[in-house]
Amino acid sequence: MNSTDVLVIGAGPTGLALACALAQKKISTVVVDRQAEGANTSRAAVVNARSLEVLERLDAAEQLMARGLRAPRFTIRDGERTLFDVDFTLLPTRYPFSLMVSQATTEEVLLRRLMDMGGSVQRPRTLVAVHQHDDGVTAEFADRDTMSARYVIGADGVHSTVRSEAGIGFDGAPYDQAFVLADVRLSGDAPVDEVILFWARAGMTVVAPLPDGMHRVVAPVQHAPRRLTSDFVQELLDVRGPGEGRMRVLELAWGSKFTVQHRVANSFRAGRLLLAGDAAHVHSPAGGQGMNLGIQDASALADALAAALLHHTDSRLDDYNRNRRPIAAHVVSMTDRLTRLATAPAGVRSVRSLGLRAVNRLPAARRRAAWQLSGLLYR
């Protein structure tokens, strides 16, 4: 039976960031993932300032910035009218912007960094069970192989096997609406250096610039075609964007439909089993916090595991649970409020917009939003 200090289940951004951090600390780590190479659907598209600070410590930020596009502003608009404006340029960080880059690219950069340090990902490998004992954990895989580890980390997403095996609850609920996501090439009034959240009578839509002249469009919908089309995305932009014809879809490169939940695990630790990323928390894409929160989990968890393994103290693992879970709950609550405001019933939308414009006149409110969305509030 193979053995390691830390077994990481899941090779998304969270699992890869954790593996890189542990490799830097010379801690024996194995990463497995149930997906075959290149199976990532690239839902996330923004890396915030706090995550870039974390990735800098992994020697991965510079490579990622070379592949991404910098967006120093986030705005909420109703058509052409700006309701709320967030400026990241005054934040006390080397990264006063949102870096727009696909999740696939983020994973590619992290995997290359892990391999540079001698690590790798075993795939496809599917975990089916874990058994805790006094001095470790035994993991069983679908191919009937087993592996022993001092600790097992569930970075295996919303339907986490590790969380299920640990018996940890995942409180929350799904949203009533599904979301569509499309990467498109646009002409017209498409943003080049900001992320825009449009609040319209028909519902919300996010339009964000990506590298290579592409844009990402995300919107909740009641009904969507089985296969997204350029015409469907065009209709969304005409009805919910800056105005009919102001943005034109020239090409649909990729699209999908997905459901969204808002949940937080009841605990991030059950003995030698720990959770991070979407296995620990999941929420609306509003605000672009999901992948970032997972990368930041990974940094905190690597420090806690190093203390447990190198200094033989579990107290830091308890601290990880005690510190990170309230942050996750706060982010889930914030994105839920943002989503519910954006999808408010038609009868209250005018009042909502007037209230937001009033708040926008308060510099302190705009500063706090910048700290929240950049992740610097959770340093």
Side-chain angles (χ1 to χ4, degrees):
M1 180 168 61
N2 298 320
S3 65
T4 185
D5 283 332
V6 179
L7 172 60
V8 179
I9 309 298
T14 301
L16 289 172
L18 175 59
C20 288
L22 292 173
Q24 276 191 332
K25 299 174 188 295
K26 310 299 182 184
I27 293 172
S28 171
T29 304
V30 172
V31 186
V32 304
D33 195 283
R34 70 191 309 164
Q35 298 288 347
E37 195 79 31
N40 182 357
T41 55
S42 294
R43 289 182 185 172
V46 57
V47 181
N48 66 23
R50 179 56 185 154
S51 293
L52 286 168
E53 291 179 345
V54 169
L55 294 172
E56 180 181 1
R57 296 203 297 268
L58 302 178
D59 294 324
E62 185 175 342
Q63 299 94 310
L64 197 59
M65 286 195 297
R67 307 276 297 275
L69 181 152
R70 303 181 187 191
R73 295 180 64 210
F74 170 80
T75 58
I76 300 176
R77 299 187 187 183
D78 183 355
E80 294 183 282
R81 183 174 56 181
T82 297
L83 305 178
F84 197 76
D85 189 353
V86 179
D87 182 357
F88 298 117
T89 60
L90 299 179
L91 290 171
T93 176
R94 291 183 58 191
Y95 308 102
F97 48 81
S98 296
L99 185 71
M100 308 308 300
V101 62
S102 77
Q103 180 178 329
T105 300
T106 301
E107 292 182 9
E108 181 185 332
V109 168
L110 286 169
L111 178 59
R112 184 181 302 120
R113 181 70 187 114
L114 179 61
M115 294 173 68
D116 287 345
M117 292 186 286
S120 63
V121 176
Q122 299 179 11
R123 43 165 109 232
R125 298 202 72 189
T126 301
L127 180 77
V128 294
V130 291
H131 306 284
Q132 293 198 65
H133 38 86
D134 290 343
D135 58 353
V137 183
T138 300
E140 298 180 9
F141 297 93
D143 60 5
R144 298 187 179 180
D145 192 15
T146 60
M147 183 176 297
S148 65
R150 299 279 296 281
Y151 296 96
V152 172
I153 312 304
D156 48 346
V158 176
H159 304 293
S160 170
T161 300
V162 176
R163 189 185 63 240
S164 177
E165 287 290 293
I168 297 174
F170 202 34
D171 290 343
Y175 286 100
D176 293 336
Q177 295 175 304
F179 280 71
V180 295
L181 181 156
D183 286 352
V184 296
R185 194 174 301 278
L186 299 175
S187 65
D189 295 339
V192 296
D193 63 351
E194 67 177 305
V195 176
I196 302 176
L197 170 56
F198 287 101
W199 281 2
R201 289 184 177 275
M204 80 171 195
T205 297
V206 176
V207 181
L210 291 175
D212 302 321
M214 300 299 292
H215 285 78
R216 173 151 296 182
V217 177
V218 183
V221 295
Q222 290 290 353
H223 304 287
R226 185 181 301 273
R227 184 172 177 271
L228 292 189
T229 64
S230 296
D231 288 343
F232 181 81
V233 179
Q234 183 66 61
E235 183 180 357
L236 285 176
L237 294 175
D238 286 343
V239 174
R240 304 186 187 190
E244 186 171 355
R246 298 295 297 271
M247 294 182 190
R248 301 298 303 175
V249 178
L250 303 178
E251 174 192 354
L252 172 65
W254 177 77
S256 70
K257 184 172 72 171
F258 59 96
T259 57
V260 175
Q261 307 177 50
H262 51 104
R263 299 181 186 274
V264 180
N266 294 345
S267 175
F268 288 9
R269 182 188 182 198
R272 294 178 176 273
L273 308 180
L274 296 110
L275 305 178
D278 287 356
H281 43 73
V282 63
H283 50 80
S284 162
Q289 298 297 302
M291 181 179 72
N292 291 286
L293 199 57
I295 289 172
Q296 293 155 36
D297 285 346
S299 177
L301 183 52
D303 290 341
L305 287 165
L309 290 163
L310 303 178
H311 306 297
H312 307 289
T313 172
D314 272 9
S315 62
R316 290 287 298 278
L317 296 176
D318 290 331
D319 290 343
Y320 167 76
N321 176 60
R322 186 162 41 245
N323 295 335
R324 293 302 301 176
R325 190 178 181 280
I327 290 172
H330 185 267
V331 170
V332 169
S333 177
M334 182 266 289
T335 57
D336 183 55
R337 287 196 305 273
L338 191 57
T339 300
R340 294 188 186 282
L341 279 171
T343 57
V348 301
R349 286 176 187 164
S350 59
V351 175
R352 171 206 66 187
S353 296
L354 285 171
L356 192 60
R357 292 183 73 189
V359 172
N360 192 48
R361 291 194 285 269
L362 303 174
R366 296 199 305 274
R367 281 196 302 271
R368 180 170 178 81
W371 278 81
Q372 281 186 308
L373 293 173
S374 67
L376 298 181
L377 188 65
Y378 313 113
R379 270 176 172 160

